[in-house]
Amino acid sequence: YVDDGQGGFTEVITESPSLAETYSSVSRNRRADGSINWGTISTPTVPVGTSKGSNSSNGYAAPVQRAVAANLTSLSRNLQSGEFGQAARRTGVHNNPKVLAMAAIESGGGGMSSNSGQAVGPMQLNTRYYKGDEVKNIDANIRKGASEIARLDKKFGGNTDAIAIAYNGGDNAAEVAYKAWNAAGKRGRVADYI
């Protein structure tokens, strides 16, 4: 968990590597025209890990791999049939691997609320920061989430760990981890420095 800067804490340790692996799985399956071949999406076969400790001893890899598999399965189903797939095409994100990976991690392309009820829609926008149409209308929710991911992508040079940390825990948490990762010679992953 990291301090979200608003008096709360957000879990990012599993979402950060899940985004990286989900994004990697989606990106590997892009066709020449840029579209994504959902029929060939596969989950990682190499253990997902960090530079701090062994995956086999800390139980970290298996839960992330299970999460990636479940997220991709759900997202693929929701993209092919359902409101999320239609909205993704309307908003132009249906071939954007980072947005789709984040939607997979956040909701599997579904529109449910989080356990706390504060995060809503396929991009799980937090109702403390976003109001009205941005959270309730699926197209607006996706556009706002995609806009935030684009901003974070630019800010953190495409680093999926930093993007996931900032998306879930705020820019400050990601900046601290990103700076520490850079200071350490970019060893391991940004998520190792939370």
Side-chain angles (χ1 to χ4, degrees):
Y1 290 87
V2 296
D3 185 334
D4 67 5
Q6 303 292 320
F9 291 88
T10 302
E11 182 179 3
V12 296
I13 194 66
T14 56
E15 290 199 8
S16 177
S18 292
L19 176 64
E21 297 306 322
T22 304
Y23 168 68
S24 179
S25 293
V26 171
S27 293
R28 282 193 303 268
N29 291 284
R30 290 185 71 117
R31 296 181 180 112
D33 67 359
S35 65
I36 297 167
N37 183 359
W38 287 98
T40 62
I41 294 286
S42 61
T43 58
T45 55
V46 178
V48 178
T50 70
S51 62
K52 293 185 176 182
S54 161
N55 288 324
S56 59
S57 65
N58 67 17
Y60 173 72
V64 170
Q65 288 177 334
R66 283 193 300 274
V68 170
N71 293 335
L72 287 171
T73 300
S74 178
L75 182 68
S76 178
R77 182 179 57 250
N78 284 321
L79 268 172
Q80 292 173 31
S81 63
E83 190 177 10
F84 177 76
Q86 294 168 12
R89 284 184 280 285
R90 280 192 307 270
T91 58
V93 303
H94 60 288
N95 288 322
N96 183 321
K98 285 183 181 158
V99 173
L100 294 176
M102 187 63 81
I105 298 304
E106 293 295 330
S107 69
M112 75 292 226
S113 295
S114 67
N115 290 339
S116 69
Q118 285 188 315
V120 180
M123 301 308 294
Q124 291 292 282
L125 298 180
N126 192 313
T127 57
R128 290 186 299 176
Y129 311 113
Y130 303 104
K131 305 291 180 206
D133 194 47
E134 293 174 324
V135 295
K136 294 177 183 172
N137 176 285
I138 191 168
D139 289 17
N141 187 285
I142 291 169
R143 277 193 296 276
K144 192 60 163 177
S147 174
E148 179 65 4
I149 291 164
R151 182 186 73 78
L152 296 170
D153 191 32
K154 183 176 181 180
K155 181 175 185 171
F156 294 109
N159 186 290
T160 55
D161 276 356
I163 293 167
I165 293 165
Y167 194 88
N168 289 284
D171 284 22
N172 186 52
E175 287 166 4
V176 169
Y178 193 69
K179 285 177 186 173
W181 174 72
N182 275 308
K186 298 183 179 182
R187 285 192 312 270
R189 301 175 83 139
V190 173
D192 296 339
Y193 297 90
I194 294 176

